[in-house]
Amino acid sequence: MSSDTPHMTPDEFRREGHRLVDWIADYWGSLETRPVTGGTRPGDVLAALPESPPESPGGADEWDAIVRDLDAIVAPNLTHWQSPGFFAYFPCNGSGPGVLGELVSAGLGVNGMLWSTSPAATELETRMLDWAADLHGLPACFKSAGEGGGVIQGTASEAAVCALVAAIKRSGRDPRACAVVCSDQAHSSIAKAAMIAGVAEGPEDGVHVRLVRTDAAGSMDAGHLREQMGDRGGVRPVMVVATLGTTGTGAFDDLDAVAAASGDAWLHVDAAWAGSAFVCPEFRGPMAGIERADSVCLNPHKWGLVTFDCDLFWVRDRRALIDALSITPEYLRNDATDAGAVIDYRDWQIPLGRRLRALKLWFVYRHYGAEGLRSHIRAGVELASAFESWVRADDRFEIVTPRSLSLVCFALRAGDDATERLVGELNRRGSIMVSHTRVGGRYVVRFAVGATLTRRRHVERAWGEIRAAADAVLG
């Protein structure tokens, strides 16, 4: 290696690292006064960036320029997901401990694909998934001491693919002879998983991706589920997906009823958003029957204060997952693996390589403790409950579906056009951000509380913005 390669020295890294940590802290401190969304137009950021990379190395002056560009090009053209005024979609929590975990993981720079390539990475992750199982009230069958266990995936979408591949393998059927069944409110990642796994030709393939009707509360109709479980021209369901906290309205499927109707199909439970609330015992009611599931996932990067990306994925029988995903070329063979004495997480996921994501989970759990996590969840639910009461008290609005934890779905009584214009007006103003869904064909506003920095004053301000925007829309 050439001696003039401009690698950072430890002291240079320390200097610029301190500056960028300060920059992040200042950014967080500024979020209350920044608009959640800016007026960025397509191509604005591209136009501000050089078309070609630099030829010569940059020195200390270049780091001055990098920080200026963060301020001038990047930050103004972001949607600020960590803003206390962000109420769209679901929260994508970041926290100081989570960010520091990411920093240390990047600094260590290990690849934990095998136990032998970083023993601490593997065993820390195993312990964190067992901790998380206990924190969220999962039964012992999902812990590593028995036949189950957990692994960190990137997202619930990846977890769905892994669950489906395991289901196909366990069934012994050709992928094109398999089907996936879920409710018509399930996340789009389920259909995408079927496409990736070679089960479905596309999202509209109703033979291989079968949608079950939902009732007025958004829960899967168990009777219709039974009808969808039949053989159609040699195609049979191998996986049923139950959702605890649907993306649209936060609805919960009845796990016992779903399990009873699913026969021998793999039962996967998607609790991506609502699962974080299960750290609070009072919110665990929808978990009844979860011991009958084959796999479960939840995303602490949504509402659990763990910086994106972090999906926790558990299986009741780890052998079924490993059998579907394991492959050992000669260059990966080692004594520990051959002896069967260790976990190799590359056999629990799609990619080979993997980051040390367990560090940020460890940092968050140690900083907040179980009580801190519960306090965060309860605060979000309490704020959403207050917001719901304000909406109910204004006769221009109506609550369209019952509040689900920290998610409130509402609309203007004036109709879909007015409600859609309300969402557009709020997001154009930029002080807060909301998103929408459709319920029974109606256009509905979704207001999801849960950002790390959101406090009561921010929800009160949001309600003021919503009323003002309604004045503008309704005249």
Side-chain angles (χ1 to χ4, degrees):
M1 181 180 294
S2 173
S3 61
D4 60 358
T5 303
H7 297 305
M8 270 187 165
T9 66
D11 284 341
E12 288 169 337
F13 175 78
R14 180 178 292 109
R15 182 186 68 236
E16 300 305 337
H18 284 169
R19 173 155 57 163
L20 287 174
V21 168
D22 285 344
W23 187 91
I24 293 169
D26 290 343
Y27 168 74
W28 287 345
S30 74
L31 284 172
E32 188 156 357
T33 57
R34 288 180 185 263
V36 182
T37 56
T40 307
R41 297 163 300 181
D44 280 355
V45 177
L46 283 172
L49 297 170
E51 293 188 2
S52 302
E55 183 63 33
S56 301
D61 290 346
E62 186 63 22
W63 280 96
D64 293 340
I66 287 171
V67 173
R68 287 196 300 271
D69 286 345
L70 283 173
D71 287 326
I73 300 174
V74 178
N77 294 296
L78 292 173
T79 296
H80 298 290
W81 284 71
Q82 304 309 313
S83 168
F86 186 92
F87 301 102
Y89 310 111
F90 283 127
C92 189
N93 278 161
S95 69
V99 170
L100 292 174
E102 284 279 27
L103 176 63
V104 175
S105 175
L108 293 174
V110 302
N111 185 335
M113 57 187 178
L114 302 168
W115 178 90
S116 64
T117 61
S118 280
T122 295
E123 296 189 14
L124 179 62
E125 184 162 338
T126 300
R127 181 66 76 212
M128 288 307 98
L129 270 292
D130 284 347
W131 278 13
D134 288 339
L135 281 168
H136 295 89
L138 289 178
C141 60
F142 291 107
K143 295 178 66 176
S144 62
E147 296 179 354
V151 60
I152 299 177
Q153 304 284 351
T155 66
S157 300
E158 294 169 42
V161 174
C162 291
L164 178 54
V165 170
I168 294 168
K169 177 70 172 179
R170 189 177 73 175
S171 75
R173 300 175 66 83
D174 183 272
R176 290 294 292 161
C178 297
V180 180
V181 182
C182 60
S183 87
D184 57 16
Q185 299 299 306
H187 195 272
S188 60
S189 61
I190 307 306
K192 191 169 187 177
M195 294 160 59
I196 292 169
V199 169
E201 292 182 352
E204 307 303 323
D205 184 346
V207 173
H208 296 89
V209 180
R210 304 181 188 179
L211 301 183
V212 178
R213 291 190 301 266
T214 50
D215 59 23
S219 301
M220 195 185 302
D221 181 326
H224 191 223
L225 170 59
R226 290 188 185 89
E227 295 175 16
Q228 295 284 42
M229 294 302 294
D231 187 296
R232 297 183 189 173
V235 175
R236 292 180 54 191
V238 297
M239 186 169 86
V240 174
V241 179
T243 306
L244 297 184
T246 59
T247 302
T249 64
F252 293 87
D253 291 330
D254 182 330
L255 294 186
D256 275 323
V258 172
S262 297
D264 61 358
W266 183 287
L267 177 56
H268 176 62
V269 176
D270 179 355
W273 163 66
S276 291
F278 300 156
V279 296
C280 300
E282 68 268 28
F283 299 138
R284 291 179 185 168
M287 295 179 70
I290 204 163
E291 71 281 354
R292 303 173 72 176
D294 292 285
S295 56
V296 180
C297 77
L298 64 87
N299 291 350
H301 68 232
K302 278 191 166 68
W303 198 11
L305 298 169
V306 179
T307 305
F308 186 85
D309 55 350
C310 186
D311 169 86
L312 308 184
F313 176 59
W314 291 273
V315 289
R316 188 152 48 88
D317 176 10
R318 60 178 175 266
R319 178 48 55 189
L321 181 65
I322 293 168
D323 286 348
L325 294 172
S326 180
I327 180 171
T328 307
E330 184 59 36
Y331 52 80
L332 293 181
R333 290 197 176 279
N334 63 88
D335 291 342
T337 295
D338 289 346
V342 297
I343 288 175
D344 289 329
Y345 277 124
R346 53 98 193 218
D347 293 332
W348 296 50
Q349 63 173 21
I350 299 165
L352 172 61
R354 59 197 337 268
R355 296 186 295 117
L356 212 178
R357 285 181 289 213
L359 268 180
K360 59 188 174 187
L361 200 60
W362 193 36
F363 283 18
V364 166
Y365 286 168
R366 292 183 67 174
H367 176 85
Y368 286 98
E371 278 305 316
L373 296 173
R374 293 176 189 132
S375 175
H376 173 66
I377 296 297
R378 287 167 179 152
V381 174
E382 289 169 8
L383 290 175
S385 178
F387 178 83
E388 179 189 32
S389 72
W390 303 334
V391 175
R392 290 188 184 278
D394 189 324
D395 61 11
R396 297 175 299 173
F397 296 91
E398 65 175 304
I399 297 295
V400 177
T401 61
R403 175 182 53 82
S404 176
L405 297 170
S406 64
L407 174 64
V408 180
C409 294
F410 66 97
L412 284 168
R413 294 185 186 276
D416 282 2
D417 181 65
T419 303
E420 186 169 358
R421 285 188 288 122
L422 175 69
V423 170
E425 178 68 13
L426 288 168
N427 292 339
R428 182 191 64 78
R429 295 182 179 197
S431 294
I432 68 170
M433 184 176 178
V434 297
S435 56
H436 79 280
T437 190
R438 287 192 180 271
V439 177
R442 294 186 61 189
Y443 191 97
V444 173
V445 186
R446 296 174 70 263
F447 189 89
V449 183
T452 307
L453 300 176
T454 300
R455 304 292 183 267
R456 185 179 178 92
R457 68 180 183 276
H458 303 116
V459 179
E460 290 174 344
R461 185 180 70 179
W463 177 233
E465 290 286 338
I466 291 168
R467 287 185 297 163
D471 289 342
V473 167
L474 298 174

